[in-house]
Amino acid sequence: MSSRSNMKFLYAGLVIALIIAVLAPFIASSDPDGLESAAEGVVSEEKLAEMEEAGSVFSSPMPDYAIEGMGKSGEVAAIVVGTLLVLGISYGLGKVIKK
Amino acid sequence: MHIPDSFIPLSQAIIYWIIALPFIFMALRWAGKEMDDTKVPILAALAAGIFAIQALNIPISMGTSGHMVGATLVAIIFASPWAGVLVLTLVLLVQGFVFADGGITTMGANILNMGVVSGFVGYYTFSALMKHKLSLQISSFVGAWLGLLVSALVCAVQMYLAGTFPLVPGLVAMGTYHFIIGLIGEGLITAIAITAIASSRPDLLENRSLARGVKT
């Protein structure tokens, strides 16, 4: 494994990830996922409403991969930011923790 | 399959965190032993790619969608399920804190399901099939599919213990949806990605013997 060709792999991976990030808001299905669908099927409406009410314990800056008031461009921006953030964190952690 | 905070009572969510911590520790220890300057870019590329593809929900009919998890893919490339645990932990941290995708209290359960269960079941199924002389494509497809399906069933049991889902209907619903999500979202994409890597960069596969039999 040469480090130069592996940097090429990183750039190629990043390009693919960014293409997916830009396309996802337009082509991803907005149907509920498997867990949500299962919940709708097997949990009573009352309890679902209760769980909805409870919400989450942490207030995230970009909930549901969106930026308030920015529509699709905000969704693209959110997923691009997330992709770069994950890239940066994993690269940084790898560098810090490597032997 | 990202469990939100409200689906598991705090007392149980903490237990899943406590079970998840040693796995996260082992994943970090794996990275400490295995990571070097040449492998860090591969880890980062896979983590970024998996974050992005998890935002791409694929419709599977029945008004339901699903997306790839990716732990099996990472585990196969690095020839270690701990690699999958590490990448999924990082991805779930960002998803939970920045995007409210999956809860914070339930992140331990999510790391266990998607990082540990799907990655370990996926990787060892893959390895067993390769030992039985099945092709790289079939082994990675079946491994990734089974990893996802089993993790969904484990999730259904957690939902039952949490008092959120009834046991049998929960297992049937989670099993049915993820049986299909696993075929398209997990199995197919994993097999395609592994095949592409094995033919373009066979040196990247930690387990070199995997690249055999792939036409370059």
Side-chain angles (χ1 to χ4, degrees):
Chain A
M1 279 195 206
S2 80
S3 55
R4 187 172 302 168
S5 59
N6 285 3
M7 283 310 286
K8 247 194 224 165
F9 184 88
L10 176 61
Y11 300 138
L14 180 60
V15 168
I16 294 170
L18 289 178
I19 291 171
I20 297 170
V22 171
L23 292 179
F26 302 97
I27 62 173
S29 167
S30 54
D31 286 340
D33 76 3
L35 179 63
E36 292 161 342
S37 271
E40 284 168 18
V42 302
V43 179
S44 70
E45 263 177 47
E46 245 170 87
K47 184 151 186 186
L48 270 182
E50 246 173 63
M51 286 170 9
E52 186 89 14
E53 188 79 15
S56 47
V57 300
F58 181 84
S59 169
S60 300
M62 294 178 267
D64 298 323
Y65 304 94
I67 299 170
E68 222 186 322
M70 281 185 63
K72 289 284 181 199
S73 58
E75 291 177 34
V76 170
I79 302 172
V80 167
V81 167
T83 302
L84 296 175
L85 195 60
V86 169
L87 183 97
I89 292 173
S90 49
Y91 192 89
L93 179 78
K95 283 286 181 189
V96 169
I97 210 167
K98 72 185 164 86
K99 58 189 171 195
Chain B
M1 210 196 307
H2 291 56
I3 305 168
D5 287 313
S6 56
F7 278 45
I8 301 181
L10 185 60
S11 57
Q12 292 184 20
I14 290 172
I15 294 172
Y16 294 124
W17 257 119
I18 292 171
I19 302 170
L21 283 175
F23 286 98
I24 298 168
F25 174 79
M26 290 298 289
L28 289 170
R29 219 174 69 154
W30 167 83
K33 269 196 212 145
E34 294 294 327
M35 274 298 116
D36 58 32
D37 279 325
T38 63
K39 292 179 195 167
V40 172
I42 309 299
L43 182 81
L46 290 173
I50 281 164
F51 173 86
I53 207 153
Q54 287 204 2
L56 189 64
N57 279 57
I58 301 164
I60 61 150
S61 80
M62 302 180 287
T64 302
S65 71
H67 60 69
M68 186 188 194
V69 167
T72 304
L73 174 65
V74 177
I76 292 173
I77 291 172
F78 281 104
S80 167
W82 298 114
V85 177
L86 182 68
V87 166
L88 264 292
T89 300
L90 297 175
V91 166
L92 283 162
L93 273 169
V94 170
Q95 288 172 332
F97 281 104
V98 184
F99 302 102
D101 190 12
I104 306 300
T105 60
T106 49
M107 197 180 292
N110 284 324
I111 290 170
L112 279 176
N113 297 345
M114 286 182 268
V116 178
V117 176
S118 88
F120 272 76
V121 171
Y123 180 69
Y124 287 108
T125 303
F126 165 81
S127 299
L129 295 177
M130 287 299 287
K131 274 197 196 105
H132 285 81
K133 308 281 180 215
L134 277 118
S135 72
L136 185 67
Q137 285 84 352
I138 290 178
S139 304
S140 54
F141 178 88
V142 175
W145 167 77
L146 190 65
L148 185 85
L149 178 62
V150 173
S151 69
L153 296 176
V154 169
C155 180
V157 172
Q158 292 163 345
M159 290 300 105
Y160 165 70
L161 296 173
T164 305
F165 286 9
L167 182 60
V168 173
L171 282 168
V172 170
M174 287 295 282
T176 307
Y177 294 137
H178 290 90
F179 183 100
I180 303 170
I181 295 169
L183 292 176
I184 314 158
E186 200 72 37
L188 196 61
I189 299 176
T190 302
I192 291 171
I194 290 288
T195 307
I197 291 171
S199 51
S200 63
R201 288 293 308 277
D203 61 304
L204 270 191
L205 295 172
E206 247 352 270
N207 184 347
R208 298 292 164 81
S209 61
L210 294 186
R212 273 180 323 188
V214 175
K215 286 187 188 127
T216 51

